[in-house]
């Protein structure tokens, strides 16, 4: 069965420094992977998704993630954090080969950005 | 386009009361789903629908009913509210329920408290 583990529940960075949010997955199939962001008291927004094309995926707001099959990882990065990046981030894996009927959600990583 | 809309934004119920959370989308999406979000537990799928007249259970369906009489609407009914159903509820939709990696679009959420 598919599963996803976000390795850090909280990450704190200074404004202007790099961001790394870690995600490992388990999948019996070729997975589809997503990162979603949730700002305080807001809904969820897709940051980026991996669909078995390029392993380095670029998303919105300067975020990107690299799919590494050998490491079963899909870590989210950004070169320089901005105050507006403070939010909850969710790594998500699809259930079954390419079928998004059931998405398996990680528990989230809370990102704090300090001035 | 309004996207995915949910009403109400906030609701307080007493144990045993029933109510319906409304969800509508104007994007002609086939696939709609309901999640609940609880602290430390991420998002959990309650019910989903792959098209009008077709619904199925997710991970935590007990205590909830759904129906899909039109493509646009996917209401979630709480039959007899319990304190354990205190949560934030999100409705989501995507273009297709078939294979592929379709982005899910989320509503703003309904914050429900059951006393």
């Amino acid at each position: 069965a598919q599963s996803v583990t976000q390795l850090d529940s909280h990450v704190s960075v200074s404004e202007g420094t790099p961001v790394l949010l870690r995600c490992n997955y388990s999948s019996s199939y070729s997975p589809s992977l997503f990162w979603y962001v949730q700002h305080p008291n807001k809904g969820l927004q897709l940051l980026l998704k991996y669909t078995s094309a390029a392993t380095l995926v670029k998303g919105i707001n300067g975020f990107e993630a690299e799919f590494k099959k050998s490491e079963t990882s899909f870590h989210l990065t950004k070169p320089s954090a901005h105050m507006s990046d403070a939010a909850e981030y969710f790594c998500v894996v699809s259930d079954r080969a390419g079928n998004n009927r059931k998405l398996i959600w990680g528990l989230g990583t809370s990102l704090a950005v300090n001035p | 386009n309004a996207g995915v809309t949910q009403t109400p934004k906030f609701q307080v119920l007493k144990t045993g009361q029933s109510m319906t959370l409304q969800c509508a989308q104007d994007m002609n999406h086939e696939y709609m789903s309901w999640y609940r979000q609880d602290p430390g537990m991420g998002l959990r799928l309650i019910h989903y629908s792959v098209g009008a007249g077709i619904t199925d259970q997710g991970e935590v369906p007990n205590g909830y009913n759904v129906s899909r009489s039109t493509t646009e609407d996917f209401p979630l009914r709480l039959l007899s509210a319990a304190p354990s159903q205190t949560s934030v509820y999100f409705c989501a939709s995507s273009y297709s329920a078939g294979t592929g990696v379709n982005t899910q679009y989320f509503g703003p959420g309904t914050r429900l408290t059951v006393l």
Side-chain angles (χ1 to χ4, degrees):
Chain A
Q2 278 84 346
S3 66
V4 60
T5 302
Q6 292 185 240
L7 298 171
D8 307 291
S9 58
H10 300 281
V11 171
S12 182
V13 301
S14 297
E15 190 175 21
T17 64
V19 175
L20 170 64
L21 305 183
R22 299 182 294 164
C23 173
N24 284 359
Y25 70 91
S26 171
S27 174
S28 303
Y29 305 92
S30 297
S32 298
L33 293 153
F34 309 77
W35 276 98
Y36 280 84
V37 62
Q38 184 179 28
H39 287 92
N41 299 313
K42 300 284 188 184
L44 292 116
Q45 181 183 21
L46 179 71
L47 271 181
L48 50 80
K49 62 184 180 184
Y50 167 74
T51 63
S52 74
T55 56
L56 182 62
V57 182
K58 294 188 185 299
I60 61 172
N61 300 335
F63 284 94
E64 62 182 38
E66 186 171 8
F67 173 70
K68 292 187 176 180
K69 186 175 181 179
S70 60
E71 298 176 11
T72 61
S73 68
F74 190 57
H75 300 336
L76 182 70
T77 61
K78 182 173 181 178
S80 177
H82 191 272
M83 296 296 290
S84 61
D85 294 328
E88 190 86 13
Y89 292 80
F90 294 94
C91 182
V92 186
V93 63
S94 67
D95 183 12
R96 304 209 294 247
N99 189 334
N100 77 336
R101 184 169 302 183
K102 293 183 183 180
L103 300 180
I104 311 300
W105 290 72
L107 297 184
T109 298
S110 177
L111 175 65
V113 181
N114 305 309
Chain B
N1 285 353
V4 180
T5 58
Q6 290 182 238
T7 56
K9 284 187 166 47
F10 302 93
Q11 183 70 50
V12 179
L13 293 177
K14 294 181 180 177
T15 297
Q17 287 185 315
S18 63
M19 79 158 295
T20 299
L21 307 185
Q22 301 290 347
C23 174
Q25 53 89 11
D26 61 359
M27 298 174 282
N28 201 31
H29 284 171
E30 284 185 357
Y31 179 83
M32 297 185 73
S33 56
W34 276 102
Y35 293 91
R36 59 178 289 173
Q37 184 178 31
D38 301 292
M41 302 193 74
L43 270 76
R44 293 182 292 170
L45 182 66
I46 304 171
H47 286 285
Y48 65 95
S49 168
V50 301
I54 306 170
T55 63
D56 203 351
Q57 295 181 349
E59 183 184 354
V60 288
N62 292 341
Y64 307 94
N65 272 0
V66 292
S67 60
R68 184 97 178 269
S69 56
T70 67
T71 299
E72 294 79 18
D73 300 299
F74 191 45
L76 178 72
R77 296 183 190 84
L78 279 69
L79 309 172
S80 177
S84 61
Q85 294 178 304
T86 294
S87 187
V88 180
Y89 292 84
F90 288 100
C91 179
S93 74
S94 63
Y95 176 69
S96 170
T99 57
V101 286
N102 303 294
T103 301
Q104 290 208 356
Y105 295 85
F106 285 82
T110 294
R111 189 173 295 272
L112 175 68
T113 301
V114 182
L115 303 175

